Amino acid sequence: MHDAVWVFDSVCVLCSRGVQFTLKHERKPSIRFVAIGSKEGRRLASQNGINPDDPATFLFIENGQVKEKSDGVIALSQHLRGPIRLCWILKGVPKPLRDAIYDVVARNRYRIFGQMDQCLVPDQDQRHRFVLV
């Protein structure tokens, strides 16, 4: 059973590395990873007002609540071990400022970090947690 769903841009190097980081640092294997280009990812993105062909954010869905941008990062961080969990402190920063910073990174992610020619291929042990097509 998965407690949360992360809808991510599977061709974005930053996003794919974020998934790999999450897999390595999860407190428990509770997140299901859904590529935004997959059938399910496109559906979830569209339902939440995100263009799956040009995503400006990712979605983190937990307990029926959809979070995106900086709220999604903060929610995701609570599933991880180590200092990254301190991201909850960012809630003290006004949301418009947090999201403005998120938007700058999101708009420039391909230029700064690059794009993958093919989507992330998870290890055999983790494959059951992914929706990539």
Side-chain angles (χ1 to χ4, degrees):
M1 179 68 181
H2 299 290
D3 300 333
V5 174
W6 179 0
V7 181
F8 71 103
D9 181 351
S10 62
V11 297
C12 168
V13 171
L14 175 63
C15 304
S16 293
R17 286 187 182 156
V19 167
Q20 292 169 340
F21 180 87
T22 298
L23 287 167
K24 190 174 184 178
H25 297 283
E26 266 182 305
R27 289 187 299 154
K28 64 178 186 168
S30 61
I31 300 171
R32 191 165 150 252
F33 303 92
V34 178
I36 202 162
S38 69
K39 185 176 179 180
E40 183 177 351
R42 295 180 72 76
R43 179 184 59 78
L44 289 168
S46 295
Q47 282 178 345
N48 290 286
I50 295 170
N51 179 353
D53 296 318
D54 187 21
T57 186
F58 74 99
L59 296 174
F60 193 76
I61 305 166
E62 184 173 29
N63 300 321
Q65 294 186 341
V66 178
K67 299 182 190 270
E68 59 182 276
K69 298 189 180 189
S70 63
D71 286 339
V73 172
I74 292 168
L76 170 63
S77 74
Q78 298 311 290
H79 287 261
L80 305 177
R81 294 184 307 269
I84 193 76
R85 289 194 54 162
L86 295 176
C87 276
W88 67 267
I89 292 171
L90 293 174
K91 283 196 170 217
V93 176
K95 182 172 171 43
L97 178 58
R98 284 188 279 131
D99 283 350
I101 294 167
Y102 181 95
D103 288 341
V104 168
V105 174
R107 269 193 313 275
N108 294 292
R109 70 189 184 279
Y110 295 146
R111 187 174 53 77
I112 296 169
F113 300 100
Q115 282 182 279
M116 298 169 63
D117 293 333
Q118 58 185 13
C119 70
L120 172 75
V121 178
D123 292 341
Q124 188 68 30
D125 295 344
Q126 302 290 344
R127 198 160 290 174
H128 69 282
R129 298 177 59 199
F130 284 79
V131 177
L132 298 172
V133 290

